[in-house]
Amino acid sequence: MLPAFYSSASEMLSKWEERVSPEGSCELDVWPYLQTLGADSISRTAFGSNYEEGRRIFELQMEQAQYAVRATRSVYFPGLR
């Protein structure tokens, strides 16, 4: 699995390097990149593809998780609270 993690991380770092200005600095929000890194690593190790190929599946899973959280918040069980 290490080569898959390495590939994912090196692609992320190369995207960061592309964003660096000629002066050698830039401000970068890393959170979206770290989310993509995790999804890309899972895709490569579990499915043999990368995140870009399975992006829609990950988006649907995220949407499904949001619906599940919303549903659990709307259900009331007497005595549970």
Side-chain angles (χ1 to χ4, degrees):
M1 286 194 274
L2 192 60
F5 293 147
Y6 175 78
S7 298
S8 298
S10 64
E11 284 181 13
M12 181 185 69
L13 291 175
S14 66
K15 288 178 184 176
W16 288 4
E17 289 172 349
E18 291 172 1
R19 303 221 29 203
V20 174
S21 66
E23 296 88 37
S25 66
C26 75
E27 188 172 323
L28 182 66
D29 182 17
V30 297
W31 180 245
Y33 290 100
L34 294 177
Q35 286 180 321
T36 304
L37 175 67
D40 191 47
S41 299
I42 292 169
S43 295
R44 288 178 192 267
T45 56
F47 308 119
S49 65
N50 61 7
Y51 174 72
E52 296 301 324
E53 293 174 4
R55 174 179 286 198
R56 183 67 182 141
I57 293 170
F58 282 102
E59 289 172 353
L60 289 173
Q61 284 180 334
M62 193 179 315
E63 185 179 342
Q64 184 179 21
Q66 291 172 351
Y67 287 139
V69 168
R70 215 178 290 159
T72 58
R73 290 181 182 164
S74 67
V75 175
Y76 174 72
F77 293 104
L80 187 61
R81 293 185 189 177

